[in-house]
Structure formats: C-alpha cells, structure tokens
Amino acid sequence: MQTKNIMIVGVGGQGTLLTSRILGGLTLRAGFDVKLSEVHGMAQRGGSVVTFVRYGDKVNEPIVEEGQADVLIAFEKLEALRYAHFLKKDGVLIVNDQRIDPMPVVIGAAQYPEGIIEDLEKKYKVLKIDAQKAALEIGNPRTFNIIVLGMAAKHMDFSHEDWLDVIAKTVPEKTIEVNTKAFELGYGM
Amino acid sequence: MSEKKLMLGNEAIARGAYEAGVKVSAAYPGTPSTEISENIVKYDEIYAEWSPNEKVAMEVAIGASMAGSRALVSMKHVGVNVASDPLYTVSYIGVTGGLVLVAADDPGMYSSQNEQDSRAVARAAHIPVIEPSDSSEAKEFVKFAFDLSEKYDTPVMLRTTTRLSHSQGIVELEERFEPIDIPYEKNIAKNVMMPGNAIKRHPVVEAREKQMAEDGADFPVNRIEMNDTKIGVITSGIPYQYVKEAIPNASVLKLGVVNPLPRKMIEDFAKKVDKLYIIEELDPIIEEQVKSWGIDCIGKEILTIQGEYSANMLRKAILGENNALTAPAQVPMRPPILCPGCPHRATFYALKKLGLHAAGDIGCYTLGAVVPLGVVDTTVCMGSSISTLHGMEKAGGREFIKDWVAVIGDSTFMHTGVNSLINMFYNQGTGTVLILDNSTTGMTGHQDHAATGKTLKGETVLAVDLYKLCHDGIGIENTRVVSAFDSEALTAAIKEEVAREKVSVIIVQAPCALLKSNKPKPAFRIDPDKCVRCGMCMKPGCPAITKKPDGAVAIDATLCNGCGLCEGLCKKGAIVR
C-alpha cells in the first residue's frame, strides 16, 4: 500500500496529541508501518500545533510535506486555512467550525479572515462540522476532538470496530463511554 | 514474538537504557529531551532524578560510572554547555560502568534560544557520537553506546534531534540485560585529574579516538546500502529518512557513529560513486572532515546550516525537482502565549503598569517579551537574568537600573540563578529580583525540582525554602513573598524594592495554571448590562477574552480558569461569575 498521509492541526491545548495517538494505535494494530511526528514545548502554549501521521508498508520520513496530505483534520478554522496547501489535489479537509482568535487578532494587529470555510470549499473537498455544539449536546464539551475524528474515520483504512477498540484503550477509563458516543456521533455525520 | 510498541524517540531511548541495564539516570528537563527521564522513571530498576542543572546531572552520572554501574545523563543541546566542564574532563578519565550522555539538539528551534550542534562539542571533547534515525534505532543505539563506552573506556554522546525525539515509530521490546557492577578499585592516575595525571591521560584519549576511527567500518551501526552509483550520499540520523524518501535509488553510507569518522570506509565509498553528497542538518561536521581528506563532495553549497531538512528540500537541491505547489494562504500568525490564568501574566501586567523593564530568563515567562505585555527586554540563557542586570548596573550605574527588575522562574533560579544572586549580593549590586515561583518547571511540562518538595520518582521530600535560601542563606534582608494575583500588594512591593538601593528579592507566588493540583475556579462571564466596552480587561492579553465583531467583549468559558485578574481590572463590576 502506498503511504497514507494524515495531518491533525489545531491550537495548542485542543487535543491534537491525543487524536494522533489514537491514529497511531490503529495503524499499529492493522499491521502497518507507521510514524507520527508531534510538537512539544513552547508551541503547545496556545500556539499553532501540527501533528503528522504516516502509515503504509514502509515509512521513512516522519513528516507530511506540502501537497502530500490525504486527510487534513483541522480543529480550528484559521489553522485549516494555514495548512490547507499541505493537501493533495484530491485530499479531504475535515474542519471544525470553531474560531479561536490568535493574539495578533485579539490585540487588533491583524484581522481574522472572514469566510474561511467557503473559500476552502472552492479549492478542496471540505467536510464541515460544528463539533463544539455537537459535544455540548452529548454533555461533554471536551469530546469535540473525538467527534471530528469520527467524521474523519470514514476516510481512512480501519474498521469501525478497531476505531472503538483503540479509543477505549487510549482515553482515560472514566471517559470511554462518552468518547465512544462522541466517535459514533461524528462517524454518523 | 516479542511485543511491538509505538514509541516516541525519547521513550525508545528510555527503553534502551532499561534494556542496557542502566542503574542511574540524571537530567534537568529541557525540550526536546524531557520525555527521556519521564519514561525512565517508569522502570523501578533504574534510579532516576531531576538534578538542579545539567552540570550536576553529568557529575551524578560520572559518579555512578566510577562506582561501577551503567549511567545515563540526558539534556537539551544548551544543557550540554552547562555540563561541558565535567564532560571535557571525564573524556580523560574514561569510565568504569558505561556512561552515555544524551544530547538533544533542536534544529528549527521549536523550543530553544539557539540552534547549536552538539556534535561539535563532542568533537572538541574527543568523545564518540552515536546518531540514530528512528525510534527503533534509538533503542538499539543506546545499547550499542554502552557497549562502545565500556569497550573503549570513554563516555559516549548519543545525539538526537527534536524530530527524532518527538516522532513515534515502531519499537520491538526486548529483555533487560543485567550487568554486574564492576568492583571499585582506587585508581588515582585515572580518576584524579590533576596536571601530572591528565598529561598522561591525554595521549590515551588521542589513541582511543584513532582506534575507534579505524574500527569504524566494523561497527554494525555504520552501514553501506549500495544502489545506483550515480549518486552517493553520506548521511546520519533523521536526514537519512529524508534521503531514503527523496532519492530511494541512491547509494547511501549511513553513519551510526558520526564521531570519529571511519575514514577508510568513507574513502572506499567515495570511490564507488560518481557524485557524492553529504547530507547533515546544522553544521558541516562530517562534510568539513571529508573535504579535508581531499574527497570531492557537495554539502552546504546547496543546503543550509539552518533548521530542519525534508525530503522535498533534497528533491529540489539534489534532483532539481521543483514541484508546483499551492502557495500557502496569508494568515495571521498564532504565536505561543501565556495560558489563561497564568500567574506570569498578572506579574507582567503589574510591571507594565509601572513602566519597568525586565531582564528575562528561560521559561514560559520569556513570553513576557511579546505583545501585549512587552515587559521582558533581554533573554540569554538559564540563570542569566540576575547576572545581566548586575552587569548593566556595573556599566551604567544605579541610574541605569532604576526602572529595571530581573525575572526568573523557580526552577531556573534553582538551576543557575542562585549563583547569579549570590554574585549580585557579594558584589554589592542593588538590583531587584522577582522569582516567579509557580511551583514547577512549567514550559517543559511540569517537572519537579528541589523547591517543590517532590522528586522525579514521586517521593515527598523536604523542599528547599526559597525565602530562607535568599533571606537566611545568602543574607538578603529585603526578601519577601507576595501572591501574583494580589495586584495591589505586588505593585507596592515592586515599587518599594526597585526604589531601594540594595539588592532585594520578591518571591512572587502562585501555582502554574496547568498544574493538576491547581483546580480551576469557576469561569467568569461579562454582564452585558454593566460592560461599557472600555477594553481594560483585554489589556493583559488573556486568550479567554475576545472582542466580538460588534464590539462586545466575551469570555470563553471553556478557556477561562477563573484567576480573577480581569475582574480586578474592571471598574464597572461587569465581570462576574
């Protein structure tokens, strides 16, 4: 199998590491070679965060480069726009319809772009989701990233059963039930 | 079949230490090295500690080696500078139990103040450098490093980079090797480095290095992958992965030991290929040596000493491929910021209102340099805030620092700041030092230190009392403790101490907002009937407070941790729980 390239982008603190680790667990279980690349340290303090996951028969480079991503999962709109050019021509962008103002916008030194998702839809295959709203509906706002992941799951090579199993093994035990619910919600969208 | 696991490079290094039979591990946290110790601590067979700084950690490991056990010490690249005093000399002493230093470089400066290449330090200290290229090799190479250390009687540097340390790959777990501790033998000629002994050790160091260079072709970690001979590449570490991705048909000499270089192996390889490239991130350490032997090769002429490489970069530089890519969108930057509820924000806001400059230090609070706080004027290295402020005073006089303070975190103060404070006191400086005591090492992800009362192993111990250390220990009379969120008291204390023509210390306390033991208070919200949209609450730059397009101010309840800084700033009482 040709190497598949997944990117997860967001704002430090949104849970990109947790979701990439779920993906890592899945690929290992499916018998693929896999590499994940993460960001630790200073950028995690509310900065722009990107995680790469690559899996296939044999993976060398641990990062996904521009124009190579099969799936781009964005937990925040501005970050979707920042990294959209990493997508392949036929790549899929799953974007959470959330706006988090970066400091230059907060202090009025820059403008948060309007109509991000509409613009991206003109260039890429975009799946949009308001995961914050959906997460509130199932009663735990912190599960929004698993809902987004559920939506992205259909564009990857793992069975529904494997997803649920690996989520259960990765998230804290107390939250297995609500995270399973969150995944199913995204998967059904 | 043995168990396979996905592991971070750092986790794999920890596993390698476990399997290699390491008994003692010492470190000071620093991105990208921190997770090595955080994973080593999971193995009960290994004693592991956070030392106050890298020099101490290095010496602890040297002692463990002298006592006959295998020892690992890990640190980030700039930590190697701190540890270099013992490092250069232990190169002469050699080892009893194997001794491995993990140096984690940060090409691209994801979380560092410079981009230095630790291989250069190892070359200067005449110690071998081993460089793995993925998690699986990281584990294996640690074991090889210990064998090499004991075989050649030398400390060994295992060099990693951020991309390797923070990438996960598949690792096959193996059993722990239980080495027998080597019985202690008093050996003054080898272990006491005074001139008469050191003079006799220096030739040993030189001979050792020559021997390793000669034996290099036999090291299993140095290997040749012969393919098409039109392009030959000498590479090591993570760049090897980029080479395999970008030029899969090239012939590759993959070096596992990057110092000393296996000259004969390189000369033979060079003869077999038409065009030879040296692909190494950061400095041309391999390239300059290969060129000095009269071998024709290409390296930094087409590449750079800056940042990380990638497969695309090599495709362009070597193959001349220029893939037509979509241009990135022009979007506002999202730089890292202080977290909602961060006590440093409260401190910096107080400094800003007083119109003060701060000599800064290394930690989350370095972010006090950026807008909207913009208080920190200088940052050099760990512990430098206090000493640079002192130097400013000695150059410009009391007048120069009349509106200055030094700011330093509790962990950084314990690292090397305490030395600088002793110096300021001893040499009659009059600076004001703010120790931003958030009860942890914040930036690297919450590690304990001597003043928190917990060890790496999780034991509760007597904490070094920062007040007593400064007041009773050093003898700084004007030492006081203030809460970071008591704006009035903090402002008054800073004003008073900055005006005082004597050295003074203000310990500004409040735990890191992200500490698990620090439960967030209920979030605040804006009462729209009372809010006059004056924007006062937005001045400290809390990411939880934003202005909506219609001008209304809103607090994001999922981000707010209820610290109350903004509540205190609102004159209309519009910020309520």
Side-chain angles (χ1 to χ4, degrees), chain B residues 236-256:
Chain B
S236 72
I238 277 280
Y240 165 79
Q241 306 293 351
Y242 302 144
V243 170
K244 294 303 279 185
E245 195 85 33
I247 335 164
N249 296 329
S251 290
V252 178
L253 168 50
K254 182 186 181 297
L255 293 170

Side-chain angles (χ1 to χ4, degrees), chain A residues 3 10-12 17 20-21 23-25 27-28 32-50 52 54 58-63 65-68 76-79 81-82 84-85 87 98-107 110-114 123-124 141, chain B residues 4-6 8 31 35 110-111 133-135 162-163 166-170 238 240-242 244-245 308-313 315 325-339 345 363-364 366-367 371-372 442-446 514 538 541-543 545-547 549 556 558-559:
Chain A
T3 302
V11 178
L17 283 188
S20 68
R21 283 176 184 189
L23 269 177
T27 52
L28 187 66
F32 291 116
D33 187 21
V34 57
K35 278 186 183 158
L36 275 79
S37 208
E38 309 174 346
V39 175
H40 297 216
M42 199 175 222
Q44 273 185 303
R45 301 280 171 263
S48 168
V49 176
V50 53
F52 306 107
R54 304 189 75 216
K58 169 79 188 151
V59 180
N60 285 304
E61 189 176 24
I63 57 172
E65 298 196 58
E66 296 170 339
Q68 293 180 346
E76 199 271 350
K77 289 192 281 191
L78 184 64
E79 297 313 307
L81 184 59
R82 189 186 315 280
H85 65 289
L87 276 166
Q98 189 191 7
R99 168 178 171 162
I100 301 176
D101 286 356
M103 200 42 68
V105 171
V106 172
I107 61 163
Q111 292 258 309
Y112 194 98
E114 295 296 325
K123 292 186 201 154
Y124 304 100
Chain B
K4 282 185 178 175
K5 261 190 90 175
L6 253 183
L8 276 179
T31 314
E35 300 81 5
Y110 287 88
S111 206
S133 71
D134 60 21
S135 293
T162 304
R163 192 57 66 189
H166 291 165
S167 286
Q168 297 194 38
I170 298 171
I238 277 280
Y240 165 79
Q241 306 293 351
Y242 302 144
K244 294 303 279 185
E245 195 85 33
E308 291 189 281
Y309 288 3
S310 70
N312 269 355
M313 188 191 257
R315 285 185 191 106
L325 297 166
T326 319
Q330 294 300 310
V331 299
M333 300 264 290
R334 191 187 296 278
I337 43 171
L338 296 172
C339 303
R345 177 177 291 105
C364 291
T366 312
L367 294 170
V371 286
M443 176 67 79
T444 44
H446 301 133
L514 299 183
M538 300 193 67
C542 174
I545 310 178
T546 50
K547 210 164 209 162
D556 184 332
T558 61
L559 290 175

Side-chain angles (χ1 to χ4, degrees), chain B residues 207-276:
Chain B
R208 175 182 78 198
E209 199 163 42
K210 280 187 178 151
Q211 190 63 49
M212 279 188 285
E214 248 173 60
D215 297 349
D218 299 327
F219 293 153
V221 297
N222 291 336
R223 67 165 193 262
I224 290 172
E225 298 169 5
M226 272 330 267
N227 272 311
D228 191 340
T229 54
K230 280 199 202 74
I231 295 179
V233 178
I234 299 174
T235 188
S236 72
I238 277 280
Y240 165 79
Q241 306 293 351
Y242 302 144
V243 170
K244 294 303 279 185
E245 195 85 33
I247 335 164
N249 296 329
S251 290
V252 178
L253 168 50
K254 182 186 181 297
L255 293 170
V257 178
V258 295
N259 185 62
L261 292 174
R263 180 166 175 172
K264 177 126 195 335
M265 192 183 194
I266 289 171
E267 285 170 340
D268 290 348
F269 179 74
K271 278 180 206 144
K272 288 182 194 148
V273 296
D274 300 343
K275 210 164 183 183
L276 182 63

Side-chain angles (χ1 to χ4, degrees), chain B residues 82-281:
Chain B
V82 180
S84 63
D85 191 0
L87 180 66
Y88 278 79
T89 300
V90 76
S91 171
Y92 284 34
I93 292 173
V95 305
T96 305
L99 176 60
V100 173
L101 157 67
V102 182
D105 286 1
D106 190 15
M109 291 180 273
Y110 287 88
S111 206
S112 301
Q113 66 270 42
N114 75 29
E115 216 170 7
Q116 70 187 49
D117 192 322
S118 293
R119 296 175 302 168
V121 179
R123 275 199 80 200
H126 300 286
I127 63 168
V129 183
I130 317 287
E131 191 169 30
S133 71
D134 60 21
S135 293
S136 170
E137 280 189 357
K139 188 192 75 143
E140 285 315 305
F141 283 22
V142 171
K143 298 205 274 190
F144 173 72
F146 276 101
D147 291 341
L148 197 74
S149 171
E150 285 165 5
K151 183 174 175 196
Y152 292 91
D153 190 9
T154 177
V156 173
M157 176 186 284
L158 184 121
R159 184 217 190 201
T160 171
T161 58
T162 304
R163 192 57 66 189
L164 174 68
S165 283
H166 291 165
S167 286
Q168 297 194 38
I170 298 171
V171 177
E172 209 172 313
L173 306 188
E174 291 163 287
E175 295 295 313
R176 175 173 164 96
F177 156 74
E178 286 292 352
I180 301 153
D181 288 343
I182 300 155
Y184 181 75
E185 273 177 50
K186 189 173 166 124
N187 187 347
I188 290 169
K190 189 165 182 284
N191 291 336
V192 180
M193 280 304 98
M194 50 190 175
N197 291 341
I199 282 169
K200 293 183 194 112
R201 290 299 296 172
H202 204 179
V204 177
V205 169
E206 190 174 358
R208 175 182 78 198
E209 199 163 42
K210 280 187 178 151
Q211 190 63 49
M212 279 188 285
E214 248 173 60
D215 297 349
D218 299 327
F219 293 153
V221 297
N222 291 336
R223 67 165 193 262
I224 290 172
E225 298 169 5
M226 272 330 267
N227 272 311
D228 191 340
T229 54
K230 280 199 202 74
I231 295 179
V233 178
I234 299 174
T235 188
S236 72
I238 277 280
Y240 165 79
Q241 306 293 351
Y242 302 144
V243 170
K244 294 303 279 185
E245 195 85 33
I247 335 164
N249 296 329
S251 290
V252 178
L253 168 50
K254 182 186 181 297
L255 293 170
V257 178
V258 295
N259 185 62
L261 292 174
R263 180 166 175 172
K264 177 126 195 335
M265 192 183 194
I266 289 171
E267 285 170 340
D268 290 348
F269 179 74
K271 278 180 206 144
K272 288 182 194 148
V273 296
D274 300 343
K275 210 164 183 183
L276 182 63
Y277 293 90
I278 314 283
I279 311 294
E280 56 188 324
E281 286 175 338

